[in-house]
Amino acid sequence: SSSQVFSLNSFFRNTLPVITIGGQAQNQWSENHKGNEWGETFALFDLNKDMIGDIPVKYKSSLAKLMEDQELVYLFLPSPSIHIYEKINQFLHRQETVFTDPYPLMSERGTRLPAVWFMLITVMIILGIIFVKRRRRIR
């Protein structure tokens, strides 16, 4: 589709976030300062806690051109070969910007991540203290 507005959508665990075939589509990826949720595909920061990412999401890919030239590429989307192809083209700077979401939404699932990391680090510190104390007793 072209000249569409995509806002307040959730894109989770897709093989690829978005693919446009047939040249650059004139789609908008936000409306009224509300973009889309991109799951764990893009690392986002929300320092002011307004549930909108602090930096735009920009997705670059070289697959659109390859899919236009070779339709059978769809068969390889789940395979690691696509990721290798993307990394090689990223290194060679042969990627085009597929979309830019200037106001990406933070995932509700993503807001729990700092708490999980905090608990994991706390447990690691406690285990480290226990290990050091036991080691001192052995000597």
Side-chain angles (χ1 to χ4, degrees):
S1 64
S2 184
S3 300
Q4 302 294 318
V5 176
F6 297 95
S7 179
L8 302 175
N9 296 294
S10 296
F11 298 94
F12 287 97
R13 294 191 179 122
N14 293 333
T15 304
L16 300 169
V18 172
I19 285 292
T20 58
I21 296 177
Q24 277 295 83
Q26 299 302 318
N27 295 320
Q28 293 180 357
W29 293 93
S30 67
E31 184 175 48
N32 298 327
H33 301 288
K34 300 281 184 180
N36 301 282
E37 285 185 67
W38 297 101
E40 298 169 359
T41 307
F42 303 100
L44 295 174
F45 300 100
D46 185 19
L47 299 177
N48 60 359
K49 304 289 185 197
D50 64 352
M51 295 304 291
I52 297 174
D54 294 333
I55 58 171
V57 165
K58 184 179 274 192
Y59 177 62
K60 293 184 175 191
S61 177
S62 56
L63 283 178
K65 179 71 174 139
L66 183 63
M67 286 181 180
E68 282 183 29
D69 296 341
Q70 303 292 325
E71 292 181 18
L72 294 178
V73 170
Y74 288 104
L75 297 174
F76 295 97
L77 283 180
S79 77
S81 62
I82 293 297
H83 298 291
I84 293 169
Y85 177 82
E86 285 281 89
K87 288 296 180 188
I88 290 171
N89 281 305
Q90 181 181 7
F91 178 72
L92 298 174
H93 304 290
R94 292 185 182 161
Q95 294 183 314
E96 297 178 11
T97 300
V98 177
F99 72 86
T100 301
D101 186 347
Y103 304 103
L105 300 177
M106 298 297 293
S107 171
E108 289 293 328
R109 299 172 197 163
T111 57
R112 297 185 191 127
L113 188 61
V116 171
W117 278 108
F118 176 75
M119 289 183 68
L120 183 64
I121 290 170
T122 304
V123 168
M124 294 294 285
I125 290 171
I126 292 170
L127 290 175
I129 292 170
I130 292 170
F131 178 75
V132 168
K133 284 186 178 183
R134 284 189 180 186
R135 196 165 183 193
R136 286 183 184 169
R137 282 189 213 159
I138 293 173
R139 291 179 184 183

